[in-house]
Amino acid sequence: MSKPAVLVARAVFPEAVARLAEHFEVEANPADDLWSKAELIRRLQGKVGVFTTGSERIDAEVLDACPQLRICANMAVGFNNFDVDAMTARGVLGTNAPDVLTETTADFGFALLMATARRITESEHFLRAGQWTKWSFDMFAGAEVHGSTLGILGMGRIGQGIARRGAHGFGMKVIYHNRSRLSPELEAECKATYVAKDELLRTADHLVLVLPYTPANHHSIGAAELALMKPTATLVNIARGGIVDDAALAQALKDRRIAAAGLDVFEGEPKVHPDLLAVPNVVLTPHIASSTITTRRAMADLAVDNLIAFLTTGQPRTPVNPQVLGRVRGQ
Ligand code: 8YV
């Protein structure tokens, strides 16, 4: 009997593709470039599963054009590339890759906070440009991190990881806002206090965004929110582009309405708003918060586990729409 066919939509670890090939006929994109939607649909013909990397848009058009597709397994904790309602309505399972990237991503969030507050990349550019000719008493004076107030918007697993680092490692006072409050036990463990969003914006010395992208969260931070922040505050976004209005942020940075920002994600990435490239008080990284080999392997392994487990036993490890189990297409 021929094996079911799956597609790997973008280049990933060869070992991940090899594991899939033990169970399935695999077609794998050898390139880092995303296929166009038309090409993705063409490649998906006859495939029951697809390994996605968080950027391939799986919507009603794709699902209707690929009636054999039963599972989309994301190598990412975020799954805003999936139209989950359209998938659920058509009996297509989505899976994501939570937990395995939590600590690594929290490490990076903290690194970006530190680099932003202490102006590490800005001062490095100055040095590399040969501009360091003398000492001055306030040269690249930054913002205190230890003992300051850390604000976290979005208190899922990664947000909690950042809270722990801030509270336990740097003696920061941690405040957070989230759709729902943490349990008293988790609040105590993270030493975090729940506050309203406005209070978070007004009070935080360093504000870290870790909320998932949903239409409701689009431009959660825009001109009005930036206006509430302290002029000395810093903003870090390791969540998703689109949560921040990048044009409004660039203007606020230019006008020094906030002190600095650290951004790993951008609206329309890999394109970056030209005004962000033009201001000095921003640290910019190319969406690498989860990028260590150990963690990226674990993310790929989890996506592979989900494909194998679901297509062989019907029991995925980390479904995002578990309500479709039992009524997935073709079952
Ligand atoms: C990924 C991410 O690197 O997991 C996520 O949601 O944003 C990143 O860890 C990216 O989506 C590609 O897999």
Side-chain angles (χ1 to χ4, degrees), residues 65-136:
C66 307
Q68 283 167 297
L69 187 63
R70 297 167 57 198
I71 171 173
C72 306
N74 234 12
M75 178 190 158
V77 63
F79 49 89
N80 51 298
N81 56 317
F82 293 165
D83 180 338
V84 176
D85 290 344
M87 290 168 75
T88 305
R90 289 162 181 76
V92 176
L93 180 75
T95 64
N96 68 339
D99 301 320
V100 291
L101 80 182
T102 299
E103 298 304 328
T104 299
T105 305
D107 282 349
F108 189 88
F110 221 86
L112 202 47
L113 186 162
M114 297 289 285
T116 304
R118 299 304 308 275
R119 305 176 64 182
I120 289 176
T121 54
E122 195 185 346
S123 59
E124 185 189 351
H125 289 144
F126 168 89
L127 182 152
R128 283 181 186 274
Q131 292 173 292
W132 185 27
T133 55
K134 57 183 175 0
W135 179 88
S136 69

Side-chain angles (χ1 to χ4, degrees), residues 10 53-54 75-79 97 101 105 239-240 287 290 296 299:
R10 186 141 73 162
T53 62
M75 178 190 158
V77 63
F79 49 89
L101 80 182
T105 305
R240 278 287 180 273
H287 200 151
S290 66
R296 287 278 169 88
M299 293 163 69

